[in-house]
Amino acid sequence: MLGRVARLMAQEGRSYGGLTREERDAQRRQRLLEAAKEIIGTKGYATTTIPGVCGASKVSTRHFYEIYPGKEDLFVDLYDRITAESYERVAESLRATDGESISGRVQAAVLAYLDPMLEDTRVARIAFVEIMGASPRIEKLRLDYRETLVEVVRSECTASVRRGEIVDRDWRFAALALVGAVTAIVYDWALHQPRCSREELEAQLADLALVLLTADPVRRGEMP
């Protein structure tokens, strides 16, 4: 009897219903992530529970804990995937606009970064609101990603300064101002009805980025 159980367990680890255990776990993970995006993106992280996510994803709590140690780990995975997608789009945009002026590169990169958030208001809430202060670990992840964005801005703008396109300034300040403004504006857009079209919002955000990163700064004592 024990030998038969052992054989069945070994078979389960290899294949069941034509899928390996790794493939089944990957499917469960994807369902958990989709359920978490829906629940956190509409009701918030604080009210999200493991039983609620498991019920919505049709994944047992036993299988949940085989994939994630807890709710925080699920949220980290979800946020990490959302942000990594945005950053990959930024990288693709910068590669595609290589050699163009800073104005064109800034507009394209900002819109590439925001595309997943503007496409899905649940993603905007997760990336810009629910992530804030959810836990020390999650906050560190958010700040690490923000530093990556700041470094991208600094690198691009410093190169533009060397080309004589823009005037040098404190690029960390400029990048943080842009990130903060975009966060507030996109979430407000996602939250309120009626709202302007996505195309109008994109144009406004692209203009904002240009002002913050390319307009000549006003020096003290030079204001009229």
Side-chain angles (χ1 to χ4, degrees), residues 106-107 110-111 114 169 174 177-186 200-215:
V106 162
Q107 288 182 317
V110 167
L111 297 182
L114 290 174
R169 70 198 70 178
L178 179 59
V179 171
V182 166
T183 298
I185 291 168
V186 172
E200 184 178 351
L201 178 66
E202 288 177 337
Q204 291 173 331
L205 291 173
D207 289 344
L208 175 64
L210 285 179
V211 170
L212 288 173
L213 301 181
T214 69

Side-chain angles (χ1 to χ4, degrees), residues 79 87 110 113-114 127-128 132 142-143 145-151 153 171-187 205 208-209 212-213:
Y79 176 73
Y87 278 56
V110 167
Y113 173 76
L114 290 174
F128 292 151
M132 300 288 286
R142 183 184 73 85
L143 293 177
Y145 269 119
R146 192 185 70 180
E147 285 303 307
T148 300
L149 187 57
V150 168
E151 177 56 27
V153 171
W171 296 119
R172 179 176 180 79
F173 180 89
L176 291 174
L178 179 59
V179 171
V182 166
T183 298
I185 291 168
V186 172
Y187 183 59
L205 291 173
L208 175 64
L212 288 173
L213 301 181

Side-chain angles (χ1 to χ4, degrees), residues 17 49 56 59 64 85 87 89 108 112 117 128 131 150 156 158 164 182 184 187 193 198 200-201 207 210 214:
T49 65
V59 174
F64 176 95
E85 179 185 355
Y87 278 56
R89 293 189 186 201
M117 292 78 166
F128 292 151
I131 195 66
V150 168
E156 287 296 317
T158 299
V182 166
Y187 183 59
Q193 290 282 8
R198 172 177 171 173
E200 184 178 351
L201 178 66
D207 289 344
L210 285 179
T214 69

